[in-house]
């Protein structure tokens, strides 16, 4: 053993968000010695960092919660249909307290590297605090939306006012009262924060590169009767959710778009509009594969949105024309479109007039227009799916870096293993349903599979498990072919890495749905882990 190693454990878990917390809980329950690291100073993951105004989950609260413990399900009371960031963070803190999970984590600590010892097949994990830990298994639960992206705009460092990114919001909050504020970006964080920033700012300028589809949350408080009904029906609700594509009990209309009358079609769209959230994309089962069916859903959406915006010219800018509805994640908003009816809010289309530079006083556009600002908010999203993993120097067999192996796009088997990197697992990331489904159920699905796998290795005397190269290649092809049969690849979305200059355009999630994916990975385990090599050192 390396003399510099300060501790030896069975499993290192990186990340204390939804997935990492559950991983620590399950692994400890199986008797594994676990050491967790988290770069934030407390639990929460994406909900620890994303504290911007209006941050809210787009999955119903009752579904965006752990299912593994019945007492936990029954004791926690959600206050509203779509929970806000503070409430979700309180929930995750409650889970950490209830199961004493914080004692397994070292906070305010980033993992900087993980290197495989090919003789022992153990991982040496180093942190920015100087700790060096040896582990048999290395589990990355770093999240798909945790590496904030700031575009490279000339002169950005010259701005004399305040600068914030929605993905790293100050814990104490930001007061925009009386300020001239510019928000760059109209993805989820921009769309959710803009209405609240507009309420404070003296003047708000929104810089939009790409219009996005958003649907009002229709958020409502939950009363005791509603909560009691939800809790009483949890078993069936979870059963439907696990069998579904997206991890919620709401399934698409049983017929295809053109198999029903126009009246019934509009009624189905109306029902999903009232439900709010991302599920509008799956009103009908052919909506994301048939362009005509997609256009029918898009036309209904456009009709609804144009009714909310007073100025038709502004509405023209807010209605996307460059991608089918649902091929980028539909945003869940609260009065976003109505915000542009305010006299003190201006919308700038960067497609028509790009940002040339930032200077001390604000933003200068390509035509020379100067927008003077006191504060700039970058709502520019994340290096999604792979960015948080890429920050860590991960080296497998032969010293090969995972960054190099994934240079042309992530390569996994089942989204769980990578050839050349035995005993290393990247949970709820590329190659799995991940961001296309309810991440809490995705986390439970992956962690439960992982724990069964590690228990199998222990019981049968194996030291390691490694994906076979041919299994990785076949899974990459399957993920690519499934995506190609849909409309998803037609959009320049972060699902493909299109928001990051130079990143390869590869559709990264498994598109077949949570239920189908669960059947696949269960079948692999039942077959004795077909596609993996089980190794004795």
């Amino acid at each position: 053993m390396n003399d510099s190693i300060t501790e030896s454990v069975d499993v290192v878990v990186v990340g204390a968000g939804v997935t990492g917390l559950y991983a620590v809980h399950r692994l400890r329950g199986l008797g594994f010695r676990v050491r967790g690291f988290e770069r934030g100073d407390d639990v929460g993951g994406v909900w620890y960092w994303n504290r911007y105004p209006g941050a809210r989950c787009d999955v119903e609260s009752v579904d965006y919660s752990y299912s593994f413990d019945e007492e936990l399900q029954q004791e926690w009371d959600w206050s509203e249909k779509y929970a806000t960031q503070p409430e979700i963070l309180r929930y995750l803190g409650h889970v950490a307290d209830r199961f004493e999970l914080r004692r397994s984590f070292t906070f305010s600590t980033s993992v900087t590297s993980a290197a495989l010892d090919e003789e022992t097949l153990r991982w040496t994990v180093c942190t920015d605090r100087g700790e060096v830990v040896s582990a048999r298994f290395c589990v990355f639960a770093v999240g798909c939306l945790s590496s904030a992206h700031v575009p490279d705009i000339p002169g950005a460092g010259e701005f004399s006012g305040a600068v914030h990114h929605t993905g790293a919001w100050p814990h104490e909050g930001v007061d925009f009262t009386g300020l001239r504020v510019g928000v760059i970006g109209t993805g989820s964080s921009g769309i959710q924060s803009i209405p609240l920033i507009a309420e404070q700012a003296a003047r708000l300028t929104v810089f939009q590169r790409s219009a996005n589809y958003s649907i009002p949350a229709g958020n409502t408080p939950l009363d005791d009767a509603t909560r009691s009904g939800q809790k009483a029906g949890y078993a069936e609700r979870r059963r439907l959710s696990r069998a579904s594509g997206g991890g919620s009990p709401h399934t698409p209309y049983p017929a295809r778009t053109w198999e029903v009358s126009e009246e019934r079609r509009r009624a189905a769209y109306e029902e999903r509009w009232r439900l709010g959230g991302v599920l509008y994309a799956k009103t009908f089962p052919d909506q994301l594969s048939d362009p005509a069916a997609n256009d029918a859903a898009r036309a209904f959406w456009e009709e609804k949105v144009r009714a909310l915006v007073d100025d038709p010219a502004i509405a023209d800018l807010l209605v996307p024309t460059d991608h089918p509805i649902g091929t980028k994640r539909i945003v869940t908003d609260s009065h976003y479109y109505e915000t542009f009816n305010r006299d003190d809010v201006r919308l700038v289309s960067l497609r028509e007039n790009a940002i040339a530079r930032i200077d001390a006083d604000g933003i200068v556009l390509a035509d020379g227009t100067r927008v003077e600002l006191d504060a700039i908010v970058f709502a520019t999203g994340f290096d999604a799916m792979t960015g948080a993993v890429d920050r860590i120097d991960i080296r497998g067999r032969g010293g090969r870096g995972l960054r190099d192996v994934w240079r042309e796009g992530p390569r996994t088997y089942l989204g769980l293993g990578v050839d050349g990197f035995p005993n290393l697992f990247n949970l709820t990331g590329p190659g799995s349903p991940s961001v296309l489904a309810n991440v809490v159920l995705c986390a439970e699905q992956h962690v439960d599979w992982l724990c069964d796998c590690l228990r199998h290795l222990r019981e049968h005397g194996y030291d390691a498990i490694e994906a076979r190269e041919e299994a990785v290649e076949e899974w990459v092809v399957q993920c690519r072919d499934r995506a190609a049969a849909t409309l998803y690849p037609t959009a320049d979305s972060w699902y493909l890495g299109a928001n990051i200059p130079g990143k390869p355009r590869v559709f990264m999630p498994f598109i077949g749905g949570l239920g189908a994916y669960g059947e696949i990975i269960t079948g692999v385990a039942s077959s004795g882990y077909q596609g993996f090599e089980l190794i004795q050192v």
Side-chain angles (χ1 to χ4, degrees):
M1 183 177 292
N2 192 317
D3 291 340
S4 64
I5 290 174
T6 56
E7 185 179 6
S8 182
V9 297
D10 297 314
V11 190
V12 160
V13 174
V14 185
V18 167
T19 306
L21 289 176
Y22 183 54
V24 164
H25 172 67
R26 282 294 322 274
L27 290 164
R28 285 192 335 200
L30 291 174
F32 289 104
R33 295 170 298 152
V34 183
R35 183 73 186 278
F37 294 102
E38 165 57 48
R39 67 187 176 97
D41 59 18
D42 200 1
V43 302
V46 67
W47 299 108
Y48 172 88
W49 297 103
N50 284 258
R51 299 166 184 252
Y52 60 84
R56 186 186 299 276
C57 189
D58 58 4
V59 175
E60 288 182 84
S61 310
V62 65
D63 299 312
Y64 195 84
S65 58
Y66 292 114
S67 68
F68 69 87
D69 186 275
E70 182 60 22
E71 289 186 6
L72 175 63
Q73 289 193 141
Q74 295 299 322
E75 74 187 9
W76 183 263
D77 289 332
W78 293 104
S79 69
E80 50 188 337
K81 182 179 177 182
Y82 292 104
T84 59
Q85 175 271 334
E87 187 169 16
I88 296 171
L89 192 60
R90 285 196 300 274
Y91 170 73
L92 294 174
H94 171 76
V95 173
D97 289 339
R98 194 181 196 284
F99 299 102
E100 299 182 358
L101 300 178
R102 287 185 179 87
R103 64 179 170 85
S104 292
F105 283 97
T106 301
F107 294 99
S108 303
T109 303
S110 294
V111 168
T112 56
S113 66
L116 178 71
D117 182 322
E118 290 194 62
E119 290 187 8
T120 63
L121 296 187
R122 293 184 65 89
W123 287 90
T124 300
V125 178
C126 300
T127 76
D128 61 351
R129 302 277 291 270
E131 292 187 78
V132 182
V133 178
S134 171
R136 172 67 65 194
F137 303 99
C138 200
V139 176
F140 288 94
V142 292
C144 291
L145 301 174
S146 55
S147 180
H149 169 61
V150 179
D152 185 14
I153 300 175
E158 300 175 12
F159 183 60
S160 60
V163 177
H164 304 286
H165 192 288
T166 50
W169 204 256
H171 290 196
E172 66 275 13
V174 181
D175 185 1
F176 292 108
T177 301
L179 301 183
R180 300 164 299 176
V181 182
V183 175
I184 301 174
T186 53
S188 181
S189 60
I191 286 174
Q192 289 186 334
S193 63
I194 282 166
L196 292 177
I197 293 175
E199 291 178 4
Q200 285 190 337
R203 188 184 74 205
L204 173 63
T205 304
V206 177
F207 299 89
Q208 172 187 276
R209 182 187 64 176
S210 302
N212 270 305
Y213 295 100
S214 185
I215 290 179
N219 199 39
T220 56
L222 299 178
D223 57 27
D224 289 340
T226 301
R227 283 192 288 261
S228 295
Q230 289 174 338
K231 291 178 180 181
Y234 247 138
E236 177 64 6
R237 191 174 186 110
R238 297 299 197 182
R239 185 189 70 79
L240 292 171
S241 296
R242 290 193 185 93
S244 72
S248 83
H250 304 286
T251 56
Y253 199 83
R256 292 180 176 271
T257 300
W258 307 114
E259 293 174 348
V260 301
S261 66
E262 182 179 357
E263 181 181 5
R264 295 190 72 181
R265 188 161 58 247
R266 288 184 64 84
Y269 293 144
E270 185 69 46
E271 180 183 352
R272 285 299 172 96
W273 178 272
R274 288 199 304 268
L275 179 63
V278 300
L279 292 169
Y280 185 84
K282 300 176 182 178
T283 308
F284 290 95
D286 57 345
Q287 203 165 295
L288 287 167
S289 57
D290 178 0
N294 187 277
D295 195 56
R298 187 211 59 78
F300 181 89
W301 176 91
E302 182 175 348
E303 177 185 323
K304 285 285 195 180
V305 167
R306 286 190 179 277
L308 299 174
V309 182
D310 294 341
D311 186 341
I314 296 296
D316 287 344
L317 296 177
L318 291 170
V319 172
T321 59
D322 61 351
H323 66 283
I325 189 167
T327 54
K328 292 183 179 181
R329 191 174 182 92
I330 294 177
V331 182
T332 302
D333 75 85
S334 297
H335 308 295
Y336 171 67
Y337 294 103
E338 298 94 320
T339 299
F340 293 95
N341 297 332
R342 298 174 60 116
D343 292 335
D344 53 3
V345 175
R346 176 190 175 196
L347 178 63
V348 173
S349 173
L350 300 181
R351 293 277 178 92
E352 300 175 1
N353 198 6
I355 294 175
R357 66 183 187 279
I358 297 174
D359 63 17
D361 300 318
I363 290 175
V364 181
L365 301 175
D367 68 357
T369 301
R370 179 182 299 276
V371 182
E372 295 187 350
L373 300 169
D374 302 305
I376 295 175
V377 173
F378 285 97
T380 47
F382 303 90
D383 183 355
M385 306 292 289
T386 60
V389 177
D390 285 345
R391 286 192 301 221
I392 304 168
D393 184 15
I394 302 170
R395 302 210 166 257
R397 292 188 184 275
R400 293 187 68 195
L402 188 63
R403 294 188 197 115
D404 297 324
V405 173
W406 284 10
R407 189 173 301 280
E408 301 303 319
R411 299 175 65 261
T412 78
Y413 178 44
L414 308 176
L416 285 161
V418 182
D419 55 307
F421 295 81
N423 288 354
L424 182 132
F425 304 89
N426 182 45
L427 303 187
T428 63
S432 74
S434 183
V435 292
L436 297 181
N438 175 357
V439 74
V440 184
L441 294 191
C442 289
E444 290 184 333
Q445 185 183 67
H446 258 188
V447 170
D448 289 344
W449 188 94
L450 169 69
C451 288
D452 287 345
C453 174
L454 300 196
R455 181 165 51 191
H456 178 88
L457 297 181
R458 183 171 63 187
E459 291 175 354
H460 292 83
Y462 293 109
D463 299 292
I465 182 170
E466 181 177 358
R468 298 180 185 275
E469 183 178 1
E470 60 271 21
V472 171
E473 295 296 341
E474 289 172 4
W475 188 249
V476 168
V477 170
Q478 181 178 162
C479 289
R480 182 192 66 203
D481 290 349
R482 283 178 179 263
T486 73
L487 300 175
Y488 276 100
T490 65
D492 283 336
S493 69
W494 54 259
Y495 297 145
L496 291 95
N499 62 318
I500 305 298
K503 191 168 183 174
R505 301 294 178 91
V506 176
F507 194 84
M508 292 179 277
F510 170 82
I511 211 166
L514 183 71
Y517 176 80
E519 291 179 0
I520 292 170
I521 63 173
T522 298
V524 167
S526 299
S527 69
Y529 297 93
Q530 181 179 2
F532 288 98
E533 182 179 358
L534 307 186
I535 305 168
Q536 291 178 321
V537 176

